[in-house]
């Protein structure tokens, strides 16, 4: 009996994102910035795809458009075989659990008014995962998996070092048990010694959970890596 065909975790076809240029008192559109203009890629379970390009070429825009954090101008985005390109916010919500992001700056991406435990537990609360006690237990477990102490759940972002804040960002991305994580250059703001620790953590988590990564070149050291070029 033949094995069932496994669909890619992520499949992107001819993705485009054009930003309008507004001029004059009436803010009329005089042209467009072609930030992303025809990117196609595919990522399977447990695979890392490195998105390669010079600074400012649109790598971050690709990741954010795939996650629908910004709306793409054109193209098709499929998550586990489902086209999510034109879903409404309500229709997209179940698929947001399957795709998360680790941001480049581990400080500005964390809400300074929220404790570490609330930051990691917020995705669980938003998606209605478990009750309060179960969410606290899962947050404590995630802290342990990313190398943070459970007693730090009540601390605030400014009380952590840069490396610890990035571990906190990784913990938040893991909370909903996603299939795909977009790594938006998550180690460029860290010291070299800390970069190696974070990269090793990402590799370990991928091996344990079968995660798929869409990453910048800085995180393309994982097993089963291929590359795509943003233009």
């Amino acid at each position: 009996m033949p094995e069932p065909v496994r669909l890619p975790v992520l499949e992107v076809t001819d993705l485009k994102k054009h930003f309008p240029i507004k001029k004059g008192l009436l803010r009329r559109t005089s042209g467009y910035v072609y930030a992303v203009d025809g990117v196609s890629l595919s990522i399977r379970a447990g695979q890392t795809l490195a998105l390669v390009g010079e600074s400012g070429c649109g790598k971050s825009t690709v990741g954010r458009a795939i996650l629908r954090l910004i709306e793409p101008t054109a193209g098709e985005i499929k998550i586990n075989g489902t086209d999510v390109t034109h879903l409404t916010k309500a229709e997209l919500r179940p698929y947001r659990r399957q795709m998360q992001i680790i941001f480049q700056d581990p400080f500005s991406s964390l809400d300074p008014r929220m404790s570490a435990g609330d930051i990691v537990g917020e995705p669980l609360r938003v998606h209605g995962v478990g009750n309060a006690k179960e969410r606290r237990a899962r947050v404590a477990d995630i802290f342990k998996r990313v190398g943070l102490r459970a007693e730090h759940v009540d601390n605030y972002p400014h009380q952590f070092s840069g490396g610890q804040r990035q571990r906190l960002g990784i913990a938040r991305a893991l909370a909903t048990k996603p299939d795909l994580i977009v790594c938006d250059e998550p180690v460029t703001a860290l010291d070299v010694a800390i970069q190696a620790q974070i990269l090793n953590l990402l590799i370990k988590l991928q091996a344990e959970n079968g995660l798929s990564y869409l990453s910048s070149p800085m995180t393309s050291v994982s097993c089963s890596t291929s590359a795509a070029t943003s233009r």
Side-chain angles (χ1 to χ4, degrees):
M1 183 176 179
E3 294 185 2
V5 177
R6 297 182 64 184
L7 295 171
V9 171
L10 172 68
E11 193 169 10
V12 177
T13 305
D14 200 25
L15 181 68
K16 299 179 181 181
K17 179 58 183 178
H18 302 162
F19 293 98
I21 300 171
K22 303 288 186 178
K23 290 186 177 180
L25 293 175
L26 299 178
R27 306 300 295 165
R28 291 176 175 170
T29 300
S30 62
Y32 291 89
V33 174
Y34 296 91
V36 177
D37 195 31
V39 170
S40 297
L41 55 87
S42 177
I43 308 177
R44 297 192 174 275
Q47 184 182 35
T48 297
L49 181 73
L51 191 61
V52 181
E54 62 187 13
S55 179
C57 73
K59 299 188 297 296
S60 294
T61 304
V62 169
R64 291 166 188 256
I66 287 172
L67 298 180
R68 296 275 306 276
L69 297 179
I70 57 175
E71 291 300 322
T73 302
E76 183 180 72
I77 304 163
K78 289 184 178 180
I79 300 294
N80 290 317
T82 301
D83 187 350
V84 301
T85 316
H86 303 292
L87 297 183
T88 65
K89 290 184 178 180
E91 293 169 337
L92 186 62
R93 174 168 288 200
Y95 298 96
R96 290 204 180 280
R97 292 184 60 176
Q98 302 174 32
M99 48 184 184
Q100 293 293 318
I101 185 170
I102 302 169
F103 293 98
Q104 179 176 345
D105 188 339
F107 189 74
S108 64
S109 63
L110 302 175
D111 190 335
R113 300 167 297 179
M114 296 177 67
S115 69
D118 288 340
I119 288 171
V120 176
E122 185 180 31
L124 302 176
R125 180 184 59 79
V126 168
H127 290 284
V129 178
N131 55 38
K133 183 178 179 180
E134 291 169 339
R135 289 195 292 268
R136 284 195 298 270
R138 182 181 287 194
V139 168
D141 177 64
I142 295 172
F143 266 54
K144 182 178 179 181
R145 290 169 60 195
V146 301
L148 294 173
R149 295 180 181 178
E151 56 263 32
H152 289 164
V153 294
D154 294 323
N155 289 0
Y156 287 82
H158 72 273
Q159 296 175 281
F160 293 92
S161 67
Q164 288 175 325
R165 284 195 290 264
Q166 197 56 294
R167 289 176 187 270
L168 187 57
I170 294 171
R172 177 178 57 186
L174 288 175
T176 59
K177 298 182 179 180
D179 298 319
L180 170 72
I181 295 181
V182 174
C183 301
D184 186 13
E185 301 188 35
V187 298
T188 56
L190 305 176
D191 293 338
V192 174
I194 306 301
Q195 288 180 5
Q197 295 176 16
I198 297 300
L199 291 176
N200 287 333
L201 174 62
L202 290 171
I203 294 170
K204 174 176 174 288
L205 292 171
Q206 184 180 49
E208 291 175 349
N209 301 282
L211 295 169
S212 300
Y213 292 144
L214 175 62
S215 78
S216 68
M218 289 294 292
T219 57
S220 61
V221 296
S222 176
C223 299
S224 184
T225 302
S226 55
T229 301
S230 174
R231 58 183 177 85

